[in-house]
Amino acid sequence: MFGHISGVEVGATFTSKAALAEAGVHILRQAGIHGDHELGAFSICLSKGYEDNVDRGNTITYVGSGGQDDDGKQISDQSPDTPANKALFISSTTRRPVRVVRGANDDNAYSPGHGYRYDGLYVVDEAKMVDGKKGFKMCTFTLKRMVRRRYQ
């Protein structure tokens, strides 16, 4: 489902990924990208997963999934063809809204102090492959906050 979840206000906080899933905001309890490889991404969860993520509040540079070992160390290139990454590439074309959730992260001024927070709708403005900080090819997505009008 694209867009806001009925009954969940922007700024709503959740104690866990299970609570996010129960509310329907981000239903995957592990993965950071929820979507469909043909329709696009429904939601992302921004947390400590990738060092190449850059959060500027209204603009996010979000790194796709894959290429990490069990300890979270980047050991190989990401693929634009995995279902999760493909969903975000599709969203850059369709421009459908993506729900953004931020998880607690001491290194990010825009993150909540604990738990998770629903931070509204963003559009994938750009999607490309870039060389990451460790030299591996990374699926990189620029998301921009959608302006919410009073009557929406």
Side-chain angles (χ1 to χ4, degrees), residues 12-29:
T13 58
F14 301 86
T15 57
S16 65
K17 279 218 175 167
L20 278 171
E22 187 175 314
V25 177
H26 184 78
I27 66 168
L28 302 181
R29 295 175 189 222

Side-chain angles (χ1 to χ4, degrees), residues 36-57:
D36 180 278
H37 68 279
E38 292 180 354
L39 299 175
F42 307 124
S43 62
I44 63 166
C45 185
L46 183 65
S47 57
K48 293 183 179 184
Y50 292 89
E51 67 180 345
D52 292 278
N53 287 340
V54 178
D55 189 351
R56 292 186 176 96

Side-chain angles (χ1 to χ4, degrees), residues 75-131:
I75 58 170
S76 66
D77 293 342
Q78 292 185 342
S79 170
D81 297 321
T82 63
N85 292 337
K86 191 166 188 169
L88 281 169
F89 275 102
I90 294 293
S91 290
S92 73
T93 302
T94 66
R95 316 267 309 158
R96 288 186 180 117
V98 177
R99 289 185 300 280
V100 168
V101 173
R102 286 183 170 90
N105 181 348
D106 294 337
D107 298 327
N108 184 348
Y110 299 100
S111 293
H114 59 277
Y116 298 88
R117 184 181 63 232
Y118 171 51
D119 278 342
L121 300 178
Y122 285 64
V123 65
V124 180
D125 195 54
E126 183 178 41
K128 60 186 176 181
M129 297 296 296
V130 301
D131 291 329

